[in-house]
Each structure stands twice: as C-alpha cells, then as structure tokens.
Amino acid sequence: MARLGHHIAHSTVWRILHDAGIDPAPRRSGPTWRQFLTAQAQGIIAADFLHLDTVLGTRLYALAFLEHGTRRLHITGVTAHPTQAWTVQQARNLTVDLGPRTESLHFLLRDRDTKYCRTFDSVFQADDLHVIKSAPQAPRMNAYCERVIGTIRREVLDHILILGESHVRQVLKIYEEHYNRHRPHQARGQLPPEAQQNPPAVRNLDTYRLLRTRVLGGLINEHRHVA
C-alpha cells in the first residue's frame, strides 16, 4: 500500500503489529533525559540565542549561557550580525571568564542553530567538555536556558524600549548582575546563584523600579562620558 502512494496512519501500523504479536520496542537501557539533567546538573552549561528588536526595527542577538547547577547566567555579547566567527569569539570570552570553574563542567548543551560551528564546539572540547546537541525542534531539551530567556523578556525587555546595541548591552549587563547576585531561585532554596546564604532583607522590593533606576543611571553616565 505504501509503495502505491497511500499514506498509512500510525494507528493502522500499530494494529497490524499488535495483531502479529509484535510489541513496541522497550526503552533502551540508561537514564531518561530528565534524569540525566538532574544527575549531571553540576557539570552542565547550556547556550542559546536571545533576539530582540530596537525601537527602529533593528533585530539584535545576544548569546546567553546558563550553568545548570548554580543557575549562574552569562550574557557574553550583543550583535546585529551573529556570524559563526562572532559566536566562536563569545565562546572564547566565556571560557576566559569562567577560569578555573571550567574544570567542574563536563557538558555543553546547545541546539542545532547554524550560528554555531565546529570551531565553537572545539573551544569547549579543548577544556574536556562534551558537546550535546538537542534534537531538532525540541526546545524542551534545553528547557533551563529557554526559561531564563523567557525570564529576561518578562522581567526586563518587555518593560524597556531598546534604542541600540550599547543600550541593550547596558541593560543586560545590569540584569545579569541582578540575576546572579540578588534574584532568588527555587532550585537553590531561594538563594541567588552567587550566594551561599540568604542575603539581608531589603526594604525596597520593587525589582522593576530598581532595575529601571540602575539602567537609566547607567545610560545617563554613558551619555555624559560621550559628551
């Protein structure tokens, strides 16, 4: 039937195999993907691209890395033209910033975006990291990095009109510092990524206003420096 061009439904194939006494193949030995992520969390760092549009309609791209174990966020750069050479340079910048902490990492998790390349992978493989590519059209395989990008959008980018590259670099730099030093995470018992104990309580809990104040203050100082 299939050779004659007729499409056979999955249920029909299942019924034929079931009637013939052929059961579905059992799951291969080994942990599930969720079990792997949980067991290897301390050794995984994930990468993903974040895109955003300026008020003039220019699309910009930022490359974000997230350490699964600590939830530490790294936003390495922003560009309007994310070439493979640019992406490789961001990988090199990250390994320099990580320093000795690279020794505790064993896996780099990324999708199959064409902006990555073999040279990008080789930067991490040189530090004995094994590169794992998520399956096509399976964003849940990189769910932690996908979620932090959604967090950046909801907590910052949805509330600010981006003027250009320098502006978004300043915004993301301030948010990265806030995310790593102050923002609590449920997976870490409400501790920020860079904290070993609960920080002292603060009176002003208006996070949005605090971020807006710091962003605007940074932009004013930047314009004064340029002037």
Side-chain angles (χ1 to χ4, degrees), residues 190-206:
Q190 305 305 326
L191 288 178
E194 295 184 359
Q196 299 302 321
Q197 59 184 3
N198 289 322
V202 295
R203 296 180 180 179
N204 181 14
L205 298 180
D206 190 345

Side-chain angles (χ1 to χ4, degrees), residues 197-218:
Q197 59 184 3
N198 289 322
V202 295
R203 296 180 180 179
N204 181 14
L205 298 180
D206 190 345
T207 304
Y208 293 139
R209 185 172 65 182
L210 176 63
L211 286 174
R212 287 197 300 268
T213 301
R214 298 186 65 185
V215 169
L216 291 175

Side-chain angles (χ1 to χ4, degrees), residues 178-195:
H178 164 75
Y179 187 94
N180 290 333
R181 296 186 179 182
H182 305 287
R183 189 182 186 281
H185 295 269
Q186 183 176 3
R188 302 197 70 242
Q190 305 305 326
L191 288 178
E194 295 184 359

